[in-house]
Amino acid sequence: MTASTPENGLRARLHRLARGSVVLAAVLAVCAPASGTAVAATASDEATVELYVSAGTRGTVAPGSATTTTLTVRNDGESRITSGRVTVDLGRTPLGDEAALTAWLDDADAPGPFDEIGSDTTTALDPDASSTSSIPVPAASLADLTPGVYPLRATLDGVTEDTAESADEDAAEQIVSTSVLVVSESTSASIAVFVPITATPADGALLTLEELTTLTAADGALTAVLEGVSGTSAVLAIDPAIPAAIRALGSAAPESVSEWLSRLDALPNERFALQFGDADVTAQSQAGLSAPLQPTTLAPFLDPARFTTAPETPAPDETATTAPTPIRTDGPSLPDDATLMAVEGATDGVIWPRSGILDTDLETFATYFGADAVTVLSSASTSGSVGGHSTIDGHDVLVTDAAASSALSRAASENDPAARQALISEASAHLSFSGRASTDAPVLIGLSRDETRSTDALRETVSAVDTLGFGLSGILAAQAAVTTLTSEADTERAADLRSMLSAEPVLADFATMLDDPQVLLSPKRIQIMRASGVGLGDSAHDDAVEAVEDATTSTLQAVDIPPASTIQLLSANADLPFAVRNDLPWPVNVRVSVSPSDPRLEVDSPQDAVVQAGTTSRIKVPVSARVGSGELNLRLQLSSPTGVTIGQVETVRVSVRAEWETIGLIVFGGLIVLLLGLGTIRTVVRRRRERAATDPAADGHEA
């Protein structure tokens, strides 16, 4: 934690409350004077203390009932801290609306007097240690409170670093934590919770066997989601890419992976399917797409060896009196895309895009998914009732409570129980305001996309608010309120999507080198869809778009003719080798076209070849020189078998020295004649010497 200055310490600490932690983190300075705000300290003597307070059951209490206040003190510093005294005060004037709640949580600003409802002495704590205590609150202390949201405050005094230098009481720092206590109505609105189930692969396409094994292990993130929603009425919003990745494994799916999908299908929770890869249909609509994006095909992810061979099918013959002859279907029976992506038991026509929706987008969604499509929106994008079921210009929408959803989303992602309880208390306050207008109108909570939630955090958060037995069908059956949109279009995301999609035709041409172009095009489409995902924040979205564009550039540069040095052509006819590089993970079919700058050199072009994955191959091109010598250029161009140009044109300098071949032959022939002549002379001389040595008389006679 960064140390605060005296002027902004309290505001900085209370800012954490605005984020829903309902925690005040104070920086304790060694030997600093007493002050109501944090005092700056150096990194060497800094100690951080956090104070959490909550009351009631998940922040609520029935009118006239007794309750309990829970206090947690945590030492996140590097030094031991002393004990202190904590007091709990309750405001007697209820907070009137969301604005008053925000003012209290942000700035500790609340109207009316406060009464002390309990106190306790905290224990000394070692570094990274915490202590929790409970203070009973008798019914008499709450007897005069009418239903509403009341400010709750805890103040910790007398805590210092437990060192000789900090023994002076003047070194103590006051720590304040704010929360709320909701005195509940006798009746309350029904609440449904939407829980998204998503998982993002490292490569942006489908989850791999290794990733699924990790996610569905006993301590895996997907396992945590199933266990977290089990026993609740949470409505599941499922990314169909998850079951698709599991089914694509076929017989290679580990037991834990297959079991996870079976457990998901067996859950009684209502559910609907998100867009594949959780792609945002709002961006698609505003990008001007005529239909929602879908994977081009999932066939490239299927290994036929992992699927059983299709059974023999008898040939139909109604007049036959004997058993029909079986007809064998070649190859295994592979599932189609619809089978792979199916979400068992899902309610059709429900979509959950990002905010920033316009009225025209709702019209587009009706053309995408039919007139009965239901769009899930945040109340931050609408005006009017916060009730779950609404209509906008005749289109059905489900409106989530933005404030309560934000607090509960953070609670579901919070592993610390004390911090989680504080967030749930804050959410209870927001829900209290949401349900006051009409107890007949249900309230909808939409948790944010988070792929790292723990079982305990998710289960406790959902169980704290959801109404058992009430879910998607109950919300849709409720009377619809009339709502209007107030959001503005997110033009940047729409532009990013158009930019990514504009590369697909170029990649389609490039992929004509492949035996199956979809091994390239299908993963690329999924990567584009994931880059426009609903759950991506602005920074993550920008990074994902950049990654897609970089990957596209790398792919288009993966096959080419590397630059070559000058070639010396020393004969009239030769095969010139030219290198072709293929950095793709698949073999490519290429055509090398070579054209000379001078017609005096004939080239047998084009030449077709197959370049294996991750290799550089040499393709020989026959040439014939019509001149004895000269300098010329060869223009090299790669293309696919269909004629699509691949890469850039390369130029190679050729130095023709064909007359050297004739000269070489003459010289070589002369050497052969000379050697033969010398050999003959040597043989004759040797034989004469041999004859003279054996027949001297003959030699003399000859003389």
Side-chain angles (χ1 to χ4, degrees):
M1 176 181 171
T2 305
S4 303
T5 63
E7 293 77 16
N8 64 13
L10 180 59
R11 181 169 295 276
R13 290 175 294 179
L14 290 176
H15 181 64
R16 297 188 61 189
L17 307 183
R19 300 201 307 268
S21 64
V22 199
V23 175
L24 185 57
V27 179
L28 304 181
V30 177
C31 300
S35 171
T37 61
V39 179
T42 64
S44 61
D45 60 13
E46 184 178 281
T48 303
V49 177
E50 291 184 340
L51 174 64
Y52 300 86
V53 59
S54 61
T57 302
R58 304 183 180 99
T60 64
V61 63
S65 300
T67 189
T68 300
T69 299
T70 301
L71 296 162
T72 299
V73 180
R74 177 177 296 107
N75 178 14
D76 289 337
E78 298 179 356
S79 302
R80 178 180 172 85
I81 61 172
T82 65
S83 61
R85 186 70 178 172
V86 62
T87 58
V88 181
D89 302 315
L90 180 67
R92 313 307 293 188
T93 303
L95 301 173
D97 52 25
E98 290 281 359
L101 174 62
T102 301
W104 169 243
L105 295 178
D106 281 4
D107 302 316
D109 180 16
F114 280 75
D115 290 341
E116 181 179 327
I117 59 174
S119 63
D120 194 12
T121 300
T122 64
T123 61
L125 293 175
D126 292 326
D128 297 323
S130 63
S131 66
T132 300
S133 60
S134 298
I135 301 176
V137 181
S141 298
L142 309 176
D144 61 338
L145 299 182
T146 59
V149 178
Y150 293 85
L152 182 69
R153 179 177 64 206
T155 305
L156 177 61
D157 293 295
V159 175
T160 66
E161 285 189 343
D162 194 4
T163 62
E165 291 80 3
S166 59
D168 189 344
E169 291 185 0
D170 287 343
E173 183 73 29
Q174 186 180 76
I175 305 170
V176 179
S177 175
T178 59
S179 184
V180 290
L181 176 63
V182 179
V183 178
S184 59
E185 302 275 358
S186 57
T187 59
S188 59
S190 297
I191 300 174
V193 182
F194 283 5
V195 178
I197 302 180
T198 61
T200 304
D203 66 357
L206 277 192
L207 293 165
T208 64
L209 186 151
E210 292 75 15
E211 289 172 326
L212 284 169
T213 301
T214 299
L215 291 168
T216 59
D219 58 349
L222 286 178
T223 300
V225 175
L226 287 194
E227 294 178 349
V229 300
S230 179
T232 73
S233 295
V235 179
L236 310 181
I238 303 168
D239 180 358
I242 298 175
I246 295 174
R247 296 185 182 115
L249 294 177
S251 60
E255 182 178 355
S256 65
V257 175
S258 299
E259 182 182 356
W260 184 90
L261 184 57
S262 298
R263 290 177 61 192
L264 173 66
D265 293 342
L267 283 176
N269 302 67
E270 292 183 275
R271 65 200 65 192
F272 61 92
L274 300 170
Q275 299 309 110
F276 193 96
D278 197 23
D280 181 24
V281 292
T282 300
Q284 297 169 36
S285 170
Q286 294 174 4
L289 303 189
S290 59
L293 289 176
Q294 293 288 343
T296 57
T297 177
L298 298 180
F301 298 97
L302 303 180
D303 182 352
R306 296 174 174 176
F307 295 87
T308 58
T309 303
E312 295 181 349
T313 304
D317 186 355
E318 297 179 356
T319 63
T321 58
T322 60
T325 302
I327 299 176
R328 179 172 294 279
T329 303
D330 293 335
S333 177
L334 300 179
D336 58 19
D337 289 356
T339 301
L340 291 171
M341 295 187 292
V343 175
E344 297 296 331
T347 300
D348 294 332
V350 180
I351 55 177
W352 191 0
R354 280 178 56 86
S355 300
I357 290 178
L358 305 178
D359 293 292
T360 53
D361 295 323
L362 294 177
E363 293 287 346
T364 302
F365 296 163
T367 64
Y368 283 176
F369 307 103
D372 295 333
V374 179
T375 305
V376 181
L377 303 175
S378 169
S379 62
S381 302
T382 64
S383 64
S385 173
V386 185
H389 189 195
S390 300
T391 61
I392 299 176
D393 293 336
H395 300 287
D396 272 351
V397 297
L398 299 179
V399 182
T400 65
D401 186 315
S405 295
S406 175
L408 288 170
S409 293
R410 285 176 282 137
S413 302
E414 178 58 67
N415 291 326
D416 181 82
R420 187 163 61 244
Q421 281 299 319
L423 287 165
I424 292 174
S425 297
E426 178 187 339
S428 296
H430 291 298
L431 290 171
S432 176
F433 291 126
S434 299
R436 285 184 186 175
S438 172
T439 56
D440 295 330
V443 178
L444 177 59
I445 298 297
L447 298 186
S448 63
R449 274 71 164 175
D450 187 340
E451 300 173 2
T452 61
R453 289 184 171 123
S454 68
T455 297
D456 292 342
L458 182 58
R459 179 188 293 123
E460 184 176 2
T461 300
V462 175
S463 300
V465 295
D466 82 324
T467 302
L468 287 177
F470 184 79
L472 179 60
S473 58
I475 299 175
L476 292 174
Q479 181 68 34
V482 177
T483 306
T484 58
L485 285 172
T486 59
S487 53
E488 297 180 355
D490 191 340
T491 57
E492 291 186 4
R493 295 215 175 199
D496 288 338
L497 181 58
R498 284 193 297 267
S499 175
M500 290 187 289
L501 290 174
S502 67
E504 282 195 325
V506 180
L507 287 170
D509 289 341
F510 179 84
T512 55
M513 293 185 298
L514 303 171
D515 292 334
D516 179 8
Q518 287 301 326
V519 298
L520 170 62
L521 300 179
S522 176
K524 180 60 63 177
R525 168 61 66 83
I526 297 174
Q527 290 165 2
I528 292 173
M529 294 176 69
R530 289 192 183 279
S532 66
V534 174
L536 295 179
D538 291 341
S539 178
H541 168 77
D542 293 342
D543 291 343
V545 172
E546 183 178 0
V548 169
E549 293 175 344
D550 290 345
T552 299
T553 301
S554 298
T555 298
L556 295 175
Q557 296 175 349
V559 180
D560 64 5
I561 299 175
S565 57
T566 300
I567 298 176
Q568 298 290 337
L569 182 60
L570 304 180
S571 63
N573 299 285
D575 291 340
L576 299 184
F578 298 106
V580 177
R581 177 180 61 89
N582 174 24
D583 287 343
L584 294 175
W586 315 282
V588 295
N589 306 297
V590 295
R591 177 170 295 167
V592 180
S593 300
V594 183
S595 55
S597 60
D598 193 316
R600 290 176 296 176
L601 185 67
E602 293 184 349
V603 180
D604 187 2
S605 175
Q607 295 291 323
D608 292 335
V610 177
V611 182
Q612 296 302 316
T615 64
T616 297
S617 299
R618 291 191 174 275
I619 300 175
K620 294 181 178 180
V621 178
V623 298
S624 299
R626 295 180 179 178
V627 294
S629 64
E631 300 286 336
L632 54 88
N633 293 326
L634 291 181
R635 184 177 181 272
L636 311 179
Q637 178 64 68
L638 271 183
S639 62
S640 71
T642 60
V644 175
T645 300
I646 305 297
Q648 300 295 323
V649 175
E650 290 292 336
T651 301
V652 178
R653 188 72 174 171
V654 178
S655 178
V656 181
R657 295 293 181 264
E659 74 278 7
W660 288 8
E661 181 181 24
T662 302
I663 295 172
L665 290 174
I666 294 173
V667 171
F668 184 68
L671 289 174
I672 292 176
V673 172
L674 178 61
L675 292 174
L676 289 174
L678 291 174
T680 301
I681 294 173
R682 182 181 177 185
T683 300
V684 171
V685 171
R686 186 178 67 249
R687 288 180 177 178
R688 285 182 177 179
R689 289 176 180 173
E690 290 175 351
R691 188 180 305 114
T694 58
D695 190 4
D699 212 26
H701 177 75
E702 289 178 66

